Amino acid sequence: MLLFRSGETVKAWCAARGLPVRPLISLDQLWILAETWYENRLTPDSRRPKPDEMVGIFASIGLTGPFWDPTSDQW
Amino acid sequence: MDFDTTVKTAIYETIAETGSVPDAGHVAATIQAPVQEVQAAFERLQQKRLLLLEPGDPSRIRMAPPFSGVPTSFLVHARGRGYYANCVWDAYGVAAALHCDAVIDASDGHTGEPMILEIRGGQPVPVPGVAHFAVPAAKWWDDLIFT
């Protein structure tokens, strides 16, 4: 996951690699993801979210659909 | 605490205290266990997607998310140390995991223009910028280094 100054540089990066432009995430959304994912990572009982938990985390910040579903084979 | 959890905890404690990601030998010395057993725990933690081992050298950790075992273009300054993160999500993740303010040296993924991100008081300081996920969630671990 890369950082870009704007959507324009995202488009240029994708075009240079022949890749489609995927969803853009605001830095506020990204911070919520980071806190949810990692705030307990240094504790002994930390674990990676399960697939259904991942879907819920993404949906909580408005990221829905097969692109954000770790069990999907269609995106 | 089971052995794999002991290993995982030792890894993250070392990273938090030093900014460096330890190898199997370092962890073995820290918890006073045979290095072969620690390396086997590394493999099991990778199977659980909690670590990514260095390709070709399973004694070394490439990623202990959100931390990187190698220098990257995301250097997080926090607690008076530098921590490399695997991506922009993980750069914020370092501040979240350490529960502290952080200043992040980053750059635009296309132009290379330097960018500074900051977490202050548990919130990101507003700056122009977006994150782009090029890979769908179902494919992240197919090539996590590219992801």
Side-chain angles (χ1 to χ4, degrees):
Chain A
M1 303 101 185
L2 291 176
L3 172 68
F4 295 89
R5 176 68 76 186
S6 69
E8 293 306 308
T9 58
V10 174
K11 290 178 184 175
W13 183 87
C14 291
R17 290 158 181 79
L19 297 173
V21 176
R22 298 296 195 175
L24 302 182
I25 311 301
S26 74
L27 297 182
D28 285 339
Q29 287 176 301
L30 193 69
W31 172 245
I32 293 170
L33 272 186
E35 274 202 305
T36 307
W37 215 267
Y38 288 123
E39 65 181 348
N40 296 320
R41 187 54 61 106
L42 271 59
T43 63
D45 59 351
S46 66
R47 59 172 177 79
R48 191 169 187 269
K50 296 175 181 175
D52 61 326
E53 293 170 331
M54 292 171 63
V55 170
I57 291 168
F58 294 136
S60 73
I61 58 168
L63 305 176
T64 59
F67 188 84
W68 301 103
D69 181 352
T71 65
S72 176
D73 60 1
Q74 297 183 15
W75 44 85
Chain B
M1 190 183 301
D2 64 47
F3 186 71
D4 289 0
T5 302
T6 298
V7 169
K8 183 188 73 169
T9 302
I11 292 167
Y12 279 108
E13 285 180 352
T14 296
I15 295 170
E17 291 168 5
T18 69
S20 298
V21 176
D23 63 12
H26 188 284
V27 174
T30 300
I31 64 173
Q32 298 183 316
V35 68
Q36 296 90 343
E37 291 185 18
V38 170
Q39 200 160 308
F42 276 18
E43 299 274 4
R44 291 190 293 272
L45 291 167
Q46 178 169 252
Q47 289 168 9
K48 294 177 183 175
R49 297 187 170 179
L50 290 169
L51 298 179
L52 180 70
L53 303 182
E54 187 66 43
D57 186 354
S59 72
R60 293 175 53 217
I61 298 168
R62 177 63 172 262
M63 298 183 187
F67 303 97
S68 172
V70 298
T72 68
S73 54
F74 298 96
L75 177 57
V76 183
H77 303 276
R79 292 185 173 181
R81 299 183 181 85
Y83 302 87
Y84 283 107
N86 301 299
C87 62
V88 63
W89 180 2
D90 284 1
Y92 272 176
V94 169
L98 295 174
H99 299 277
C100 65
D101 292 350
V103 175
I104 301 159
D105 292 336
S107 58
D108 181 285
H110 182 63
T111 67
E113 173 194 359
M115 296 174 66
I116 302 292
L117 304 180
E118 185 172 358
I119 298 297
R120 189 187 308 155
Q123 293 295 325
V125 174
V127 293
V130 294
H132 180 251
F133 287 65
V135 180
K139 307 292 284 183
W140 286 350
W141 278 77
D142 289 2
D143 183 353
L144 193 59
I145 294 172
F146 175 75
T147 296

